[in-house]
Amino acid sequence: MELEIGGMTCASCAMRIEKKLNKLDGVQASVNYATEKAKVTVPEGYDPALLIAEVEKTGYTAAFPRTEVAKAAEGHADDPELTSLRQRLIGSIVLTVPVIAMAMIPALQFTYWQWASLALAAPVIIWAAWPFHRAAWMNLKHGAATMDTLISMGTSAAFLWSLYALFFGTAGTAGMTHPFEFTIAPSDGAANIYLEVGAGVTMFILAGRYFEKRSKKQAGAALRALLELGAKEVSVLRDGAEVKIPTADLAVGDEFIVRPGEKIATDGVVVSGTSAVDASMLTGESVPVEVREGDAVAGATVNAGGRLVVRATRVGADTQLAQMARLVEEAQTGKAEVQRLADRVSGVFVPIVIAIAVAALGAWLGAGFPVTAAFTAAVAVLVIACPCALGLATPTALLVGTGRGAQLGILIKGPEVLESTRLVDTVVLDKTGTVTSGRMTLVDVFAEPGVDRAELLRFAGALEDASEHPIAQAIAKGATQEVGALPAPEDFANIEGKGVQGIVDGIAVVVGRESLLADWSQHLSREVAEAKADAESEGKTVVAIGWDGKARGILVVADTVKPTSAEAIAQLKQLGLTPVLLTGDNEAVARRIAAEVGIEQVHAEVLPKDKVAVIRRLQQEGKVVAMVGDGVNDAPALAQADLGLAMGTGTDVAIEASDITLVRGDLRSAVDAIRLSRRTLSTIKTNLFWAFAYNVAAIPIAALGMLNPMLAGAAMAFSSVFVVGNSLRLRGFRSVAAES
């Protein structure tokens, strides 16, 4: 069973809940911080209320997942946690900026400025930082330390010491100033306040949390997009008459009508009519599937040809579309837990800082110094250790990196994504719409001896232009580009499952399968028949044309490789990645495309659920897998992969299920996305190192009681400026497309 978990602030929260649940008899649990879900296996007849009670005892909330309909309905509503974070962030910005300005600029330090600072900083340190204090208390109860502990401890120490200095020391007297000096000398702690440190840290770290939370909110959008894909209304036949009803009211056995261009409402069997159905969203097959009476069709696929009457065989949760939604959800829930780097470091850093503060206090008291001086040194250690730059390290690099990505047409969804890109060693590519254009194109024309190519194209194009079939439209478009405007045909007729016929410029023309020409005793010459066989062996579609009692040639239609795909695959190999082609299309087509772009590994004729299985198999072999796709059929695989990259030219579902969206349909964007993500991650790590380095360097000074407020403020400001400056270097990132 599944539980939705609330109140987690970091990966260690997820680990704590998981540990607690796994201690229960017969329970196996996996808690995912990124998706805020717990997947739990329990014995038969186990009371689920026990699981919820255990999670609540740990200090978090748990509930059973709502229905898909409820999720979709609430998908557009504001997240209360995000709203609360936004309010705290805005409030802390408004109140903190004047506090920092007064502390750092002596000219602004009017009489009793310190009391104004207290009035402004108190709401920030108490109300705005409340989520950190609450999380720190939870951690303390379970004997753990995270970044929340460090933030709460540092801000509280700064605030409480400032209160002591104002009310019991000399800091509250009229005319008190923080002089602008960087001297390192023992100072009277009772004359110093650290309010700007407490308020500044809270503001910066709230900003980081807000941006992280906003990016995480996208996790459930893939399912909403999938559910919205299906037809909303359907025309049902009741007693011979058409009645419009909502798709949700369809029952198994109902017969409904699907007109050209409409979505098929649910899975069913064709009762009457013939058509071409675009099933690429489910199968990845670029050529529309011809269907006639007795053939099965899937819900949410598009009727590209004639009128169909379909009998519903599966409705609601049993349809292929609903099964895909489940696959996406399972893949998202099953992702590896995201271990936050800052939390891992904090877990070691916090106990060390506390130990140093206690040691400093003991050393000063042991050396016979006054209690005030001893406490000044201990508090200074806690204040300087509070990681202001740490709060900026991840969000600033993310903001600059994702901003630069957006300029290049690469949308990165959040910090979790970056960890994956560093480790990726295998990149799985969907064929249709990713490596290829995803549209049928006229690629070749073979005319019989003595037949003018332009005339053949003119006749074929004129007749096919009157048809709605996607292959016909590809021929008409190719003919128009080569010979210009096409004449209008007369007596046009569609011959069921075979092709079309009509009169062009007074001549009777037939275009379609070779069998259609044979019906008119028109046969291809040996040379053209061989060319047809060669094209079909490569998975291309061949259409024959004849007039005046003779076969006149063939037209070859295929899904073509994008001009930049081969270059992109070469660049992926340079990044140390192994490319793999994964497609629902047939083996011959897949092999031809793979050879054209330089891919050795090919998995063809693979259904959506099997795509997930291929990704899982690669992961079980120890590979870290990136998946690039564009269709609905790719959504479960994109969610299952360690890193999902969706072409922005594809469907909303694929985009929502992915970690990175490539706005342009150029595969070189995938190379840029991996390079940019790796660069952003290395920037975050550099930022984290320096954020801690500044704190660590200042801790001995603080322990010796030589840290004046100006120096504390300057260390905080300088580390923050360094982190921001380092992050801004990402703006110079260039696309491989621009360099080539």
Side-chain angles (χ1 to χ4, degrees), residues 169-360:
T170 55
T173 56
M176 188 280 276
T177 58
H178 276 177
F180 192 81
E181 58 185 32
F182 288 97
T183 55
I184 296 178
S187 59
D188 176 13
N192 298 331
I193 58 171
Y194 296 97
L195 292 169
E196 80 284 0
V197 177
V201 166
T202 302
M203 176 182 76
F204 287 129
I205 290 176
L206 273 175
R209 288 281 165 90
Y210 173 71
F211 291 120
E212 184 184 340
K213 178 71 182 170
R214 199 174 63 171
S215 70
K216 251 176 66 180
K217 191 172 184 281
Q218 301 301 317
L223 295 171
R224 288 198 297 278
L226 263 176
L227 293 163
E228 285 163 10
L229 258 188
K232 303 293 179 284
E233 278 194 327
V234 58
S235 299
V236 182
L237 286 173
R238 295 269 162 88
D239 302 323
E242 275 189 48
V243 183
K244 282 253 186 203
I245 63 165
T247 306
D249 295 345
L250 260 181
V252 172
D254 280 346
E255 290 187 2
F256 58 93
I257 292 163
V258 190
R259 292 181 175 78
E262 287 184 346
K263 285 179 181 173
I264 296 170
T266 192
D267 297 2
V269 173
V270 177
V271 176
S272 68
T274 60
S275 181
V277 172
D278 179 0
S280 59
M281 60 164 285
L282 288 175
T283 63
E285 180 77 51
S286 47
V287 183
V289 181
E290 302 283 349
V291 295
R292 54 174 55 80
E293 195 176 320
D295 288 343
V297 289
T301 54
V302 178
N303 178 14
R307 177 181 182 273
L308 294 173
V309 177
V310 179
R311 184 190 302 112
T313 55
R314 288 188 293 196
V315 295
D318 297 326
T319 63
Q320 284 196 48
L321 188 66
Q323 285 167 9
M324 271 195 186
R326 275 200 295 281
L327 279 172
V328 171
E329 185 165 29
E330 279 169 22
Q332 285 184 334
T333 310
K335 272 194 177 176
E337 287 151 23
V338 181
Q339 295 297 326
R340 313 298 298 149
L341 194 56
D343 277 315
R344 290 213 298 276
V345 180
S346 298
V348 178
F349 191 59
V350 176
I352 292 171
V353 168
I354 294 171
I356 292 170
V358 170

Side-chain angles (χ1 to χ4, degrees), residues 45-251:
Y46 195 91
D47 183 4
L50 295 174
L51 300 174
I52 292 175
E54 193 64 27
V55 173
E56 286 172 349
K57 257 194 271 175
T58 317
Y60 304 90
T61 62
F64 293 109
R66 292 134 299 161
T67 63
E68 301 297 353
V69 178
K71 280 184 197 170
E74 95 175 18
H76 305 291
D78 271 354
D79 180 341
E81 201 177 331
L82 194 66
T83 306
S84 166
L85 262 177
R86 191 188 307 120
Q87 289 166 348
R88 289 177 198 275
L89 175 60
I90 293 167
S92 62
I93 290 169
V94 170
L95 296 171
T96 302
V97 171
V99 174
I100 293 175
M102 284 190 288
M104 300 295 287
I105 306 167
L108 298 178
Q109 293 171 4
F110 56 88
T111 310
Y112 294 121
W113 68 275
Q114 66 272 43
W115 295 99
S117 284
L118 177 63
L120 292 168
V124 178
I125 297 169
I126 296 168
W127 166 74
W130 180 248
F132 308 132
H133 301 318
R134 183 180 172 278
W137 175 242
M138 295 276 188
N139 293 329
L140 183 64
K141 283 200 293 189
H142 296 97
T146 66
M147 190 170 157
D148 288 317
T149 314
L150 198 51
I151 297 160
S152 176
M153 202 171 65
T155 53
S156 301
F159 183 61
L160 294 171
W161 187 258
S162 300
L163 286 178
Y164 169 78
L166 285 168
F167 287 101
F168 302 106
T170 55
T173 56
M176 188 280 276
T177 58
H178 276 177
F180 192 81
E181 58 185 32
F182 288 97
T183 55
I184 296 178
S187 59
D188 176 13
N192 298 331
I193 58 171
Y194 296 97
L195 292 169
E196 80 284 0
V197 177
V201 166
T202 302
M203 176 182 76
F204 287 129
I205 290 176
L206 273 175
R209 288 281 165 90
Y210 173 71
F211 291 120
E212 184 184 340
K213 178 71 182 170
R214 199 174 63 171
S215 70
K216 251 176 66 180
K217 191 172 184 281
Q218 301 301 317
L223 295 171
R224 288 198 297 278
L226 263 176
L227 293 163
E228 285 163 10
L229 258 188
K232 303 293 179 284
E233 278 194 327
V234 58
S235 299
V236 182
L237 286 173
R238 295 269 162 88
D239 302 323
E242 275 189 48
V243 183
K244 282 253 186 203
I245 63 165
T247 306
D249 295 345
L250 260 181

